[in-house]
Amino acid sequence: ASALALARAGWQVVLAGRRAEALGQTCAIAQEESPSLAAQLLPVPVDLTDEAAVQAGAGVSTATADTLSFSA
């Protein structure tokens, strides 16, 4: 819900999570609402407990975005 709210507000949102299916479901919800909303989302399947995987995911994110912000 938070990712979709941020996308509706115009943010480019990186969806990072271990389960690609769940990321895909969020993207599908956005696509049903609006293709332009779905374009605001970047799903990045990553195991957040694996530091190397997180670094690789961040590389994917920064390659497609002008600005990248992390929040805990």
Side-chain angles (χ1 to χ4, degrees), residues 12-37:
Q12 296 280 330
V13 181
V14 175
L15 302 173
R18 194 177 334 171
R19 296 183 319 136
E21 309 84 42
L23 302 177
Q25 289 173 347
T26 301
C27 290
I29 292 167
Q31 182 67 33
E32 288 177 15
E33 185 174 326
S34 165
S36 63
L37 179 63

Side-chain angles (χ1 to χ4, degrees), residues 3 11 13 23 42 46 50 57:
W11 288 75
V13 181
L23 302 177
L42 174 64
V46 61
D50 179 346

